[in-house]
Amino acid sequence: MIIMINGAFGSGKTTTARNLQKVVPGSMLFDPEEIGYMLRKLIPEEMRDDYERTNDFQDIDMWRILTVNIAKEMKHKYNKHLIVPMTIYKPINYDHIYHGFKDIDEELYHFCLIASEETLRKRLTMRGDIIGGWQFQQIDKCVSAFRSNKFEEHIVTDKLNTDDIIDVILKRIGGYSSKD
């Protein structure tokens, strides 16, 4: 099984993924952000195609390719369920990764954590992100993109705590309540 936990920065993806991993037996976290950080270090900007020269590593073509390839290798080597937190709102990346994951494991779930712009700003501020910084600059485009049916199954998190979000996910994947 692969569980994708998508959403804007500040929607609760990473916290949800970490806590979900504790209650889903035989699971491990796989964070594609780490692949992005690696690619930034390995591929000098002047070697990248023009469209890859942005402040978003998801614009580097190799990121989506390696995300799928590494997930495949992790499933093969460790035979664990993967819990994958990531903000992935660009259709080309989402489609490639979603379909790549589906080829790896037919039991694929995608949850998109949705929150209002106000809630996201508040959460980013509370966690210490720089007001006006990169994560804040992504709010509008993420909120807009995630309204699409493409990114269903939506979980509105404005008034939910992490355990509530986990309960929604566990019920959908046929698990149990995190309060059990």
Side-chain angles (χ1 to χ4, degrees):
M1 169 174 56
I2 299 175
I3 303 169
M4 297 171 68
I5 302 176
N6 197 357
F9 301 95
S11 62
K13 300 176 307 296
T14 303
T15 302
T16 297
R18 284 185 188 136
N19 290 334
L20 184 63
Q21 192 268 326
K22 295 174 187 174
V23 297
V24 174
S27 66
M28 65 187 292
L29 292 177
F30 169 49
D31 188 347
E33 234 177 47
E34 299 299 329
I35 297 166
Y37 298 145
M38 175 191 75
L39 289 173
R40 274 191 190 150
K41 289 179 183 177
L42 291 176
I43 306 170
E45 191 163 327
E46 64 272 5
M47 289 183 66
R48 299 180 199 165
D49 289 330
D50 288 342
Y51 63 87
E52 294 179 316
R53 294 178 187 176
T54 70
N55 61 0
D56 187 347
F57 57 70
Q58 289 190 28
D59 290 328
I60 301 172
D61 291 334
M62 200 176 296
W63 175 79
R64 68 177 167 268
I65 295 164
L66 287 178
T67 294
V68 172
N69 290 346
I70 292 172
K72 180 180 178 181
E73 294 302 320
M74 289 178 70
K75 287 286 287 179
H76 176 74
K77 169 82 173 166
Y78 300 108
N79 195 29
K80 301 281 186 188
H81 303 301
L82 298 181
I83 299 173
V84 187
M86 64 180 146
T87 299
I88 180 169
Y89 64 91
K90 295 175 183 176
I92 190 171
N93 289 341
Y94 175 81
D95 290 340
H96 183 88
I97 291 170
Y98 182 89
H99 294 293
F101 283 1
K102 191 76 166 172
D103 288 343
I104 295 166
D105 194 324
E106 278 292 315
E107 191 176 3
L108 172 64
Y109 298 93
H110 173 267
F111 300 96
C112 188
L113 308 186
I114 304 290
S116 69
E117 292 175 27
E118 178 183 332
T119 297
L120 294 171
R121 283 185 179 84
K122 179 180 174 185
R123 289 177 181 167
L124 291 174
T125 301
M126 286 175 44
R127 76 179 193 189
D129 288 17
I130 298 168
I131 295 174
W134 193 83
Q135 288 85 350
F136 281 87
Q137 295 169 22
Q138 308 312 304
I139 290 173
D140 291 340
K141 62 181 143 188
C142 286
V143 168
S144 177
F146 290 140
R147 287 186 183 117
S148 168
N149 292 344
K150 174 184 276 299
F151 297 104
E152 289 185 343
E153 177 166 334
H154 293 144
I155 301 173
V156 180
T157 66
D158 292 280
K159 296 180 181 176
L160 298 179
N161 65 38
T162 304
D163 285 342
D164 295 332
I165 297 167
I166 291 171
D167 282 342
V168 170
I169 293 171
L170 289 173
K171 286 176 186 166
R172 174 66 176 87
I173 67 173
Y176 46 88
S177 170
S178 64
K179 297 171 184 141
D180 287 345

